[in-house]
Amino acid sequence: MQSLAVTPRRVDPVAEPAVLDAIDIVMQRAYGVPSFRASIDRFVAAQPDGLAVVEHQGSVVGTGCCVAYPDGGFGWIGLVATAPGFERRGIATAITEFLSGVLSGHGCAPVLDASVVGGPMYQRMGFVDCGPTRVLALGGSTAEIHSPDGCVPLTVADVDEVVAFDAMRFGASRRGVLAKAIDQHPGRSGVLRRGQQLVGYYIAQAATLAPVVAEDHDALAALVAAASRLDWHGPPRISVPPESGHVTALLELGFEPQRQLRHMRRSIDILPGRRECVAGEVSLGEG
């Protein structure tokens, strides 16, 4: 096996746009998904110092991203990927430690959602398993979902209120991530109010209903009913964090289990916020 110096470096997304394309290619090959560019662009917008690569002979062979939530004291690491043929050389470990250092510089402990295969590696690095993150997909006919409450489309005027509502429940402000997600998918976001009070919102990405935050099960049903009427190219998926109180409600609404990941943390035991209200993450790499 050819020797490889595993030395991660930070990527400057402004000065190195071609490297972003190379990062996407490595992620595609590692995960078998057409493109991660929407997620990469959200990382760039929210955390421009949070992209890292390992290179070999001028080519990207490993990569990963992170996003810090300083007011919550935690940050997410995600999309850690190794190019085929370069596995088992310590690249993923080095990338994770490098990104953990970036988060530490922002006063944040690292959090991640690990695959079953990747879990043991993170455990050796001192990450602690804090329960399952469940990936569900909406089965059956979405037209069968009904709710007496009605969502309205999210507008620019709603953004500040949504960011504040989300921060109280997620445990930190996600203004940069949410604003970019809304911008990337125009016309695919909704809010729900009872009287003048916001009780939930959703953003629908291309294939995922993400994020979704709802004050209670009735609010969740209304949000899912509205989102289910959008155009989807397949069954919409949702990634449900372990603290969510909405798992049973999502199953009753027709979501079906697809797979589970291991939600893992290091140097932080409990995340702040009212996380029982979080029905769906932005992504497995952003929380």
Side-chain angles (χ1 to χ4, degrees):
M1 182 179 292
Q2 191 176 12
S3 62
L4 171 67
V6 181
T7 307
R9 73 170 181 88
R10 188 175 298 169
V11 174
D12 184 335
V14 176
E16 304 176 276
V19 177
L20 301 183
D21 295 332
I23 288 172
D24 191 22
I25 290 171
V26 170
M27 292 176 180
Q28 291 176 39
R29 292 174 176 171
Y31 292 109
V33 174
S35 178
F36 287 91
R37 194 53 190 260
S39 291
I40 294 169
D41 289 346
R42 286 198 300 273
F43 278 107
V44 169
Q47 198 70 45
D49 65 341
L51 286 78
V53 294
V54 167
E55 294 162 310
H56 179 63
Q57 297 181 348
S59 297
V60 175
V61 297
T63 187
C65 307
C66 70
V67 58
Y69 300 112
D71 50 338
F74 63 92
W76 237 266
I77 294 174
L79 298 180
V80 177
T82 303
F86 288 86
E87 301 92 341
R88 301 184 183 279
R89 302 203 201 182
I91 292 175
T93 299
I95 288 283
T96 302
E97 288 292 7
F98 182 87
L99 294 173
S100 294
V102 174
L103 293 176
S104 179
H106 291 279
C108 295
V111 178
L112 53 83
D113 289 308
S115 67
V116 173
V117 174
M121 178 194 78
Y122 294 114
Q123 200 162 3
R124 291 192 295 271
M125 296 173 66
F127 284 83
V128 176
D129 194 327
C130 296
T133 294
R134 299 171 174 87
V135 179
L136 313 177
L138 187 58
S141 172
T142 57
E144 296 174 359
I145 299 176
H146 299 286
S147 170
D149 295 316
C151 291
V152 297
L154 187 153
T155 69
V156 173
D158 299 315
V159 172
D160 287 346
E161 186 181 8
V162 166
V163 168
F165 174 88
D166 178 81
M168 290 292 293
R169 289 146 185 86
F170 176 72
S173 175
R174 295 192 284 183
R175 178 175 293 275
V177 170
L178 297 182
K180 186 64 175 179
I182 293 167
D183 182 64
Q184 287 176 326
H185 306 283
R188 293 178 65 83
S189 303
V191 295
L192 178 68
R193 290 185 175 85
R194 293 186 186 131
Q196 299 300 312
Q197 185 175 2
L198 183 68
V199 294
Y201 81 93
Y202 74 85
I203 299 172
Q205 299 180 41
T208 56
L209 182 52
V212 183
V213 181
E215 191 68 10
D216 51 43
H217 296 338
D218 287 341
L220 176 67
L223 295 168
V224 171
S228 70
R229 298 185 184 103
L230 299 172
D231 290 330
W232 297 92
H233 295 297
R237 300 186 305 277
I238 189 168
S239 298
V240 190
E243 305 94 340
S244 178
H246 290 309
V247 176
T248 299
L250 287 166
L251 295 174
E252 290 174 351
L253 288 168
F255 283 87
E256 301 170 351
Q258 299 295 299
R259 62 185 179 122
Q260 286 193 175
L261 295 94
R262 297 172 64 180
H263 178 77
M264 308 186 79
R265 306 170 190 158
R266 190 171 70 184
S267 304
I268 187 169
D269 295 326
I270 299 174
L271 299 185
R274 294 179 52 209
R275 295 185 58 81
E276 69 276 6
C277 298
V278 181
E281 300 181 343
V282 176
S283 76
L284 294 172
E286 296 157 273

